[in-house]
Amino acid sequence: DQQVKQNSPSLSVQEGRISILNCDYTNSMFDYFLWYKKYPAEGPTFLISISSIKDKNEDGRFTVFLNKSAKHLSLHIVPSQPGDSAVYFCAASGRKTSYDKVIFGPGTSLSVIP
Amino acid sequence: NAGVTQTPKFQVLKTGQSMTLQCAQDMNHEYMSWYRQDPGMGLRLIHYSVGAGITDQGEVPNGYNVSRSTTEDFPLRLLSAAPSQTSVYFCASRRATRTLYSENEQFFGPGTRLTVL
């Protein structure tokens, strides 16, 4: 039973346009959410995070939105660049869950077409 | 700082063989964890540790053992390898404590690609 879901296995976007990656979670105890980016043959690297006390967090071209009532978050990349082509993982954790485990979704593969 | 290091990078085992995947970090992080990555499944948590001497199970712990005798090292042991354990394994570490106002990113190693025949 997946607690963190990314229902789009892949996404293709034209360079310069907006990329929107979606993530849903089921566990209401989660209060901290993160996005990681992964290139082939490398470990994931942290991209951006948001805590449940906020509904938006921006870092340059990347913005994460959190809708707690819908248990949904999204990552917006504007403008998209070819170097953004990678697998993006949504992850969640909760201070009240056992030892604050970090649970990942299955990932979305983003292709940015030049 | 080397960050999180993993050895070996690649490994091929026969069914029933045992081996240990090594993981070390030099950031003095309390929290360390092991994930496996499989197509369509994302990163699944195997075991994790919040400090030396403390370990706990993640989402998919069966077939794996861990121990944490030092802050720096967190080895993952496969006692009797099975083809279902063919995967890419990632070790990660982060600071243990956080609040809703602080970052809580994990730092990942480069991974170990394991094939069990």
Side-chain angles (χ1 to χ4, degrees):
Chain A
D1 181 30
Q2 271 188 339
Q3 298 185 68
V4 179
K5 302 177 184 180
Q6 293 176 259
N7 293 323
S8 298
S10 63
L11 177 67
S12 196
V13 171
Q14 207 73 28
E15 180 179 5
R17 304 293 293 269
I18 184 172
S19 295
I20 300 176
L21 292 87
N22 293 304
C23 176
D24 297 288
Y25 60 97
T26 57
N27 190 337
S28 58
M29 301 294 274
F30 289 144
D31 61 9
Y32 205 89
F33 306 90
L34 309 97
W35 285 93
Y36 283 80
K37 179 178 179 179
K38 185 183 180 307
Y39 293 118
E42 294 183 10
T45 55
F46 171 76
L47 189 58
I48 193 169
S49 65
I50 188 167
S51 88
S52 60
I53 61 172
K54 297 181 177 180
D55 54 20
K56 178 182 173 181
N57 189 27
E58 278 183 87
D59 184 3
R61 296 186 297 114
F62 303 92
T63 302
V64 57
F65 296 91
L66 175 63
N67 183 334
K68 282 182 292 184
S69 60
K71 294 193 178 68
H72 177 83
L73 61 154
S74 61
L75 174 68
H76 292 211
I77 307 173
V78 183
S80 301
Q81 300 173 353
D84 296 329
S85 297
V87 177
Y88 290 78
F89 291 102
C90 173
S93 68
R95 288 170 305 146
K96 294 180 183 177
T97 61
S98 174
Y99 285 123
D100 197 7
K101 293 185 288 190
V102 182
I103 304 298
F104 283 75
T108 295
S109 179
L110 174 66
S111 295
V112 180
I113 304 163
Chain B
N1 284 355
V4 180
T5 57
Q6 292 183 239
T7 55
K9 209 168 175 60
F10 302 95
Q11 183 70 50
V12 179
L13 291 177
K14 293 181 180 177
T15 296
Q17 285 185 314
S18 63
M19 81 157 295
T20 299
L21 279 63
Q22 301 293 344
C23 174
Q25 52 92 10
D26 60 0
M27 297 173 282
N28 204 31
H29 285 167
E30 301 92 343
Y31 187 103
M32 295 185 74
S33 53
W34 277 102
Y35 291 86
R36 58 178 288 174
Q37 184 192 9
D38 303 291
M41 305 296 289
L43 293 161
R44 292 183 293 170
L45 182 64
I46 304 171
H47 285 286
Y48 61 101
S49 168
V50 295
I54 305 171
T55 64
D56 205 348
Q57 297 181 348
E59 303 168 275
V60 288
N62 292 340
Y64 307 94
N65 280 353
V66 292
S67 60
R68 184 97 179 269
S69 55
T70 67
T71 300
E72 294 78 19
D73 301 297
F74 190 43
L76 179 72
R77 278 182 286 276
L78 285 71
L79 297 178
S80 179
S84 61
Q85 293 177 305
T86 294
S87 187
V88 182
Y89 291 85
F90 291 100
C91 179
S93 75
R94 65 170 168 85
R95 295 189 319 272
T97 56
R98 68 167 177 88
T99 70
L100 282 177
Y101 304 94
S102 67
E103 296 294 334
N104 196 33
E105 62 171 296
Q106 291 196 100
F107 294 85
F108 282 82
T112 294
R113 184 174 293 273
L114 176 69
T115 301
V116 183
L117 302 175

